[in-house]
Amino acid sequence: MSGEAAVDTRGARSSSEARTGEELSIRLPHQSFPVERIGLDIGGTLCKLVHFVPGEKQDGSHDGGLIAFAKFSTEKVEECISFIKGKGLSSKARIFVSGGGAFKFYSLLERELGVPIHRVDEMASLVGGLNFLLLRVHRESYRFDLESDGQLQDPLVYADLDDKPFPYLLVNIGTGVSIIKVNSCTSYERVSGSSLGGGTFMGLCELLTGETDFNKMIELGERGDSRNVDMLVCSTVKK
């Protein structure tokens, strides 16, 4: 078991069983009862949601579950609220919210969801969440090992859960960027950062393409060809 919420992390690993509109999930094969908690991080750009999805066998009995993730534009936080209400997630769950939106949308969340909203420290949640992944979930972290010729090793070398990752640098890219030195599960400090981040990306995308939806921006980036805008060696040499 792990933490107050009694999450059974035995055999926990990333799963491709993402529900419609959600991101990849973490499979908890031995979870014997629901985790009645919802986590929200509402930043200046995106609203990120994490919740538990119980698994069921064909006979209707409980069969583990998923820690599922979803994201929404902060400008459309009502869509996130509708998602929570539509899935009936708020009927029993305790809701924990971090980020600037925990204050900006506090009254809206409490009114629409009809349950108390618990505001939590963003940095503490961030460090705690990453430590959970590093120490409890298989194949969630890997290292880059350069071979003698300078090429990246293939396949990737995944970290063992018995390996203690401390100390490490956590680089959190949100609307801005924060760099946090994590010394242990309880000791950490912000050592640097930048105002350039996701907010800059979205602003440039809107100016260049007119698009305002984050997911559509990502799709455009996947279809685009960086060679059309990058300065290459051939660009400086006359043919």
Side-chain angles (χ1 to χ4, degrees), residues 9 43 103 119 164 170 188:
T9 57
F103 297 87
R119 288 185 288 225
K164 298 303 180 184
L170 190 170
Y188 53 86

Side-chain angles (χ1 to χ4, degrees), residues 34 38 46 85 101 104 153:
I38 295 173
L46 294 176
K85 294 168 70 174
K104 183 177 181 179
Q153 190 176 25

Side-chain angles (χ1 to χ4, degrees), residues 7-238:
V7 176
D8 192 334
T9 57
R10 291 176 299 158
R13 63 179 60 247
S14 295
S15 168
S16 59
E17 300 175 40
R19 302 297 204 264
T20 301
E22 297 178 353
E23 306 300 314
L24 297 182
S25 307
I26 296 173
R27 176 72 177 167
L28 300 175
H30 299 288
Q31 188 68 27
S32 58
F33 52 88
V35 180
E36 295 177 341
R37 292 190 174 198
I38 295 173
L40 279 170
D41 177 60
I42 308 178
T45 306
L46 294 176
C47 173
K48 287 79 70 177
L49 168 71
V50 57
H51 64 99
F52 180 77
V53 179
E56 291 185 1
K57 297 180 180 179
Q58 291 184 344
D59 60 5
S61 61
H62 195 81
D63 181 28
L66 299 173
I67 297 177
F69 303 87
K71 65 177 181 289
F72 308 84
S73 170
T74 298
E75 292 182 351
K76 301 176 181 178
V77 69
E78 292 82 4
E79 292 183 2
C80 179
I81 293 173
S82 297
F83 181 91
I84 294 173
K85 294 168 70 174
K87 289 185 173 290
L89 298 176
S90 62
S91 57
K92 295 181 180 180
R94 298 176 66 189
I95 300 179
F96 298 84
V97 188
S98 66
F103 297 87
K104 183 177 181 179
F105 300 110
Y106 178 85
S107 297
L108 175 66
L109 292 168
E110 198 165 51
R111 182 177 69 251
E112 292 295 325
L113 298 177
V115 295
I117 303 299
H118 304 275
R119 288 185 288 225
V120 295
D121 180 78
E122 181 176 2
M123 190 180 298
S125 299
L126 176 65
V127 173
L130 184 55
N131 284 338
F132 172 80
L133 294 177
L134 293 174
L135 300 173
R136 300 283 184 174
V137 183
H138 293 275
R139 296 175 68 84
E140 270 297 310
S141 63
Y142 56 86
R143 65 178 183 267
F144 290 108
D145 282 353
L146 292 178
E147 297 179 340
S148 57
D149 59 359
Q151 299 298 313
L152 288 177
Q153 190 176 25
D154 187 38
L156 294 173
V157 179
Y158 285 89
D160 192 285
L161 292 183
D162 293 330
D163 296 337
K164 298 303 180 184
F166 311 109
Y168 66 84
L169 287 178
L170 190 170
V171 181
N172 183 46
I173 304 176
T175 300
V177 176
S178 287
I179 301 176
I180 302 167
K181 181 184 178 184
V182 183
N183 300 303
S184 69
C185 287
T186 57
S187 173
Y188 53 86
E189 61 177 327
R190 187 180 188 274
V191 294
S192 187
S194 171
S195 60
L196 300 179
T200 307
F201 165 77
M202 292 194 69
L204 288 172
C205 284
E206 183 175 355
L207 288 172
L208 293 170
T209 69
E211 184 58 68
T212 59
D213 182 85
F214 177 79
N215 291 322
K216 291 181 179 179
M217 289 178 181
I218 297 299
E219 291 176 6
L220 288 173
E222 291 174 346
R223 298 202 307 267
D225 187 344
S226 62
R227 291 174 297 181
N228 291 331
V229 293
D230 286 348
M231 176 69 76
L232 305 176
V233 173
C234 62
S235 305
T236 64
V237 179
K238 292 183 178 181

